[in-house]
Amino acid sequence: QVQLVESGGGLVQAGGSLRLSCAASGGTFNMYGMGWFRQALGKEREFVAAINWISGGTNYPDSVEGRFTISGDSAKKMTYLQMNSLKPEDTAVYYCAARRRWAIATTSGEYDYWGQGTQVIVSS
């Protein structure tokens, strides 16, 4: 069983940056695939980033490519999402997720564990 706790959300002006953190406990961390998703009010949960601990490969949708970076430290069981050049449309609750396979996954149904989420608000 894996527990995930996100932190680092907050209010930021458009063009600013935030770094989200996800602390994991339980399980064999480096055997898990990690991802970030977000859900804006009234919208479906959306894929934001994923990382493969084995290859170091990452994946992003076009909406955040070049602005967001996923990284982590498997020894510390930490995953990060660096968000730069934030836009008002990035406003959402951001969730960290883990899956029991290390390969990259981009849909929420492929993940087994979820954090409680952290709110990000980008003002114009």
Side-chain angles (χ1 to χ4, degrees), residues 55-71:
S55 68
T58 57
N59 189 285
Y60 308 92
D62 290 343
S63 58
V64 308
E65 179 78 56
R67 300 189 298 122
F68 290 12
T69 303
I70 185 172
S71 64

